[in-house]
Amino acid sequence: MHDNALARAMRELGDDVLLQPIYTPIRTDETDIAEDRVFFGGIHVFAMQKMPWLSKLPQSLRSWMDWPRLIRFVTRRAGSTDPASLGELTLSMLRGHEGRQSDEVHRFVDWLCNEIQPDAVIFSNLLIGGSIPEIRRRCPNCRVVVLLQGDDIFLDHLQPHHRSSAIELMQNLSAQVHQFVSHSHFYRQKMSDLLSLPDGKVAVHPLSISLPPASGCDPEEAKSSDGVSPFRIGYLARIAPEKGLDRLADAFIRIANQTGFEHVELHAAGWLGNHHKAYLAGIKSKIDSAGFADRFTYHGSPERDEKFKLLRSFDVLSVPAPYEDPKGLFILESLAVGTPVIQPDHGAFGELLRDLGGGELVNPDEIDALAEALQRSVMQPDRKNELLVGVAERLQERHSIDAAAKRMREACQSPTG
């Protein structure tokens, strides 16, 4: 979603930007500006890994595996593949023209350097950068920029021997990259250490969003917190253990069990993969067993307009991810409509909230600390306005997608212009 919004904003600046999907067609809640074709189609690269003899067939006999409609159909259960089983494929893709997908590397680079002839190429992560050496060889004047966002999470799911080999290959690729971009100082340091990147090679571009038409809370949609109207604790992120909905449910139950908090509700929304349906069912079962079935609602995965409407209906948002999240778009989205947040103080969350205001940080390892912060939100509704003072202006200045587009344009220009 962020890549799509960034590419669109760069186009609006007047740049000639092409958004090219890799592995699968993109999924976004805004107008999709991506090319319809897919390179390194997920089905194709997986098949070539398992059946290397396929490379002996003419590409014309394999092209059907890259049809976007077919990929969408097959990956409707996207995310159900355990990364731990993808070690060899990960290494092969990182080896680029020396891996089992070498035919696809050459097809991609032929298209890129012969037809597109770009001044710069932006990779959305380094794990898909196996073709970078070939691009540098074939397009010597092309600047290569790589976003660092989530590479470590995937690596941590690999078997130890695959992980160490992947890191070594990524370190080698890093030498071919002109500029890395991270969305937080925390993640810049983490990835610089992991990949042994020299000082100055990673720029920090603050995380950004396409701000909704009316940032700030709509008074007609604002929730009353007078002890009678429901107080809505919200969650908006993927429904997955690494995002922490189970932790939020535990904190909610602790609050809901107390006298005087009978009006507190928990509302969750976000994409749910088939492989995590049991996870959500377990959370529902726990809430039901505590006697609060009528005070929990899962709203599915809303589109953009419905998402912001739902965020406005929350009194507070919390996504208590147990891991060190390098981004946190949901924080920006929530603050953009005037809903404060409560987040664990790790990863990029602390940077965002210390920069913007608009929320409270808690110890990431203590459910009690989360519950106490949520309880304060219920008991001190007027504090919401204090937290949000100046947030809208800081969002527009530092975290709008338009500001991000200008920063990325600079990253794509060589030091000599």
Side-chain angles (χ1 to χ4, degrees), residues 38-82:
V38 175
F39 280 99
F40 299 102
I43 302 169
H44 201 166
V45 299
F46 187 82
M48 295 184 78
Q49 184 66 29
K50 297 299 182 181
M51 298 174 285
W53 53 266
L54 282 174
S55 62
K56 300 183 182 301
L57 296 178
Q59 203 282 328
S60 59
L61 297 180
R62 295 182 269 120
S63 61
W64 61 270
M65 289 188 281
D66 293 325
W67 291 346
R69 185 173 297 181
L70 173 64
I71 297 173
R72 287 191 185 96
F73 175 76
V74 173
T75 58
R76 65 192 185 281
R77 297 177 59 179
S80 60
T81 304
D82 181 359

Side-chain angles (χ1 to χ4, degrees), residues 55 77 170 252 254 301:
S55 62
R77 297 177 59 179
M170 292 169 74
F252 161 71
R254 296 184 193 191
S301 182

Side-chain angles (χ1 to χ4, degrees), residues 225-239:
S225 300
D226 57 8
V228 177
S229 300
F231 185 97
R232 294 160 64 105
I233 297 171
Y235 168 101
L236 180 63
R238 283 187 298 110
I239 308 299

Side-chain angles (χ1 to χ4, degrees), residues 201-344:
K201 194 155 188 176
V202 186
V204 175
H205 292 190
L207 191 63
S208 58
I209 60 168
S210 298
L211 295 171
S215 59
C217 189
D218 184 341
E220 295 183 1
E221 293 182 351
K223 297 291 296 181
S224 171
S225 300
D226 57 8
V228 177
S229 300
F231 185 97
R232 294 160 64 105
I233 297 171
Y235 168 101
L236 180 63
R238 283 187 298 110
I239 308 299
E242 60 267 25
K243 293 298 184 181
L245 179 58
D246 55 317
R247 294 185 171 205
L248 186 59
D250 288 342
F252 161 71
I253 290 172
R254 296 184 193 191
I255 296 171
N257 269 317
Q258 300 181 38
T259 302
F261 293 84
E262 295 83 1
H263 63 303
V264 177
E265 300 175 349
L266 177 60
H267 293 260
W271 184 78
L272 174 65
N274 286 339
H275 57 306
H276 284 142
K277 287 184 176 179
Y279 168 72
L280 179 60
I283 293 172
K284 288 182 177 179
S285 177
K286 182 187 295 186
I287 294 174
D288 291 352
S289 298
F292 306 123
D294 60 337
R295 291 161 65 179
F296 172 69
T297 304
Y298 171 57
H299 295 268
S301 182
E303 296 298 324
R304 178 177 169 82
D305 290 345
E306 286 301 310
K307 174 177 66 177
F308 285 117
K309 182 178 180 181
L310 185 64
L311 281 168
R312 286 189 178 96
S313 77
F314 297 158
D315 291 284
V316 65
L317 177 89
S318 183
V319 181
Y323 78 102
E324 296 178 323
D325 195 316
K327 294 192 290 187
L329 280 171
F330 42 79
I331 293 177
L332 301 184
E333 291 173 335
S334 185
L335 296 180
V337 298
T339 299
V341 301
I342 296 174
Q343 288 298 116

Side-chain angles (χ1 to χ4, degrees), residues 171-187:
Q171 289 173 338
N172 293 336
L173 287 174
S174 298
Q176 302 280 334
V177 176
H178 292 98
Q179 178 74 74
F180 285 99
V181 171
S182 170
H183 295 305
S184 67
H185 293 277
F186 146 75
Y187 202 62

